[in-house]
Amino acid sequence: MDDPRCCLVTGAGRGIGAAVARRLSAAGHRVALTARSGGELDALAAELPGPALTVPADVTAPDAAERVFAEVENVWGPVEVLVLNAGAGTSAPLHRTTDADWQHALDLNLTAPFRLLRRAVPAMVEHGFGRVVAVASMAAKRGDPYISAYTASKHGLLGLVRSAAAELATTGVTVNAVCPGYVDTPMTDGTVASISALTNRTAEQARAALERRQPIGRLITPDEVADAVLLCVASGAITGQGINVDGGAIQS
């Protein structure tokens, strides 16, 4: 993709979102950043080589999609590249997964991306160009124990991506997902702490167990996930896909 584009990255304050924002900016695009943490967004914006706009928001708020898009449009015009990265995981046995746990997973990992995608599509279709990339998970493709709410939400996200891609296939708008394994991010640090607390293993032992979940024997880096996101942004022929970035854990 040669032309500079107006990009919006959710969950941009750290981890995968920050890595994607850096790569998009380095490629010459304007990058709007949204997350709950305004301080982290400001710090990231200050280091990006190109134009950056910070729009702090809780994407689970019912009015968040409209407010964030309106602010970006007011400054730069329509969003052309949307990276749906905001998300979080929870872990609990099925019988201890509360209604609140379940609803939070759906709100953050599925409903918020749906609202943002819905808000982005009309302008993208009108202009005959759009790239939407959702950061899902290998949990979008298989079931693992103790993460039922997270897994259900990520399966739903991949289903949303596939249906939207089919609907928009002739419009110039592509919709894809990347499905990482365990990535070396603050979210995985939280998973390590949770495993350590529940199993009496040290943090080092817990992290090693997660590393072994990838056949390559290590955690995925945020930049490796960003590689897949940038591929989806660059290509008009990739759509409706869930691209695994998991070190060979799921061969599909």
Side-chain angles (χ1 to χ4, degrees), residues 28-52:
H29 304 298
R30 295 166 290 165
V31 185
L33 313 167
T34 189
R36 290 177 299 174
S37 49
E40 289 180 337
L41 296 181
D42 291 340
L44 177 60
E47 71 174 73
L48 295 183

Side-chain angles (χ1 to χ4, degrees), residues 111-130:
T111 301
F114 162 70
R115 289 171 174 158
L116 290 156
L117 173 60
R118 180 177 61 185
R119 180 59 173 78
V121 162
M124 290 181 175
V125 170
E126 180 181 353
H127 290 89
F129 178 90

Side-chain angles (χ1 to χ4, degrees), residues 94-111:
L94 183 61
H95 69 283
R96 293 181 184 168
T97 300
T98 66
D99 284 359
D101 294 335
W102 177 265
Q103 193 61 53
H104 177 70
L106 294 180
D107 288 346
L108 180 56
N109 298 332
L110 182 55
T111 301

Side-chain angles (χ1 to χ4, degrees), residues 57-245:
D58 177 353
V59 294
T60 65
D63 65 343
E66 178 58 38
R67 186 172 66 81
V68 171
F69 270 78
E71 190 162 340
V72 176
E73 290 165 350
N74 185 55
V75 178
W76 285 342
V79 171
E80 298 165 290
V81 175
L82 173 62
V83 181
L84 298 165
N85 171 69
T90 58
S91 177
L94 183 61
H95 69 283
R96 293 181 184 168
T97 300
T98 66
D99 284 359
D101 294 335
W102 177 265
Q103 193 61 53
H104 177 70
L106 294 180
D107 288 346
L108 180 56
N109 298 332
L110 182 55
T111 301
F114 162 70
R115 289 171 174 158
L116 290 156
L117 173 60
R118 180 177 61 185
R119 180 59 173 78
V121 162
M124 290 181 175
V125 170
E126 180 181 353
H127 290 89
F129 178 90
R131 299 286 184 266
V132 181
V133 188
V135 177
S137 167
M138 63 182 183
K141 295 191 173 182
R142 74 180 189 194
D144 284 327
Y146 309 121
I147 52 171
S148 56
Y150 180 74
T151 299
S153 67
K154 291 298 188 177
H155 270 68
L157 180 60
L158 184 55
L160 171 64
V161 162
R162 288 170 166 165
S163 183
E167 183 174 332
L168 300 170
T170 62
T171 68
V173 179
T174 66
V175 188
N176 290 287
V178 296
C179 301
Y182 287 98
V183 185
D184 192 5
T185 63
M187 179 175 164
T188 296
D189 292 340
T191 302
V192 167
S194 177
I195 292 172
S196 182
L198 290 171
T199 64
N200 293 320
R201 284 184 279 184
T202 67
E204 291 75 17
Q205 290 170 330
R207 183 172 292 274
L210 295 184
E211 290 171 347
R212 290 192 296 270
R213 297 295 299 274
Q214 285 75 225
I216 58 174
R218 62 170 175 82
L219 299 180
I220 310 303
T221 71
D223 277 333
E224 288 169 330
V225 183
D227 286 339
V229 173
L230 268 289
L231 174 63
C232 294
V233 172
S235 177
I238 301 173
T239 194
Q241 302 306 306
I243 300 174
N244 300 336
V245 189

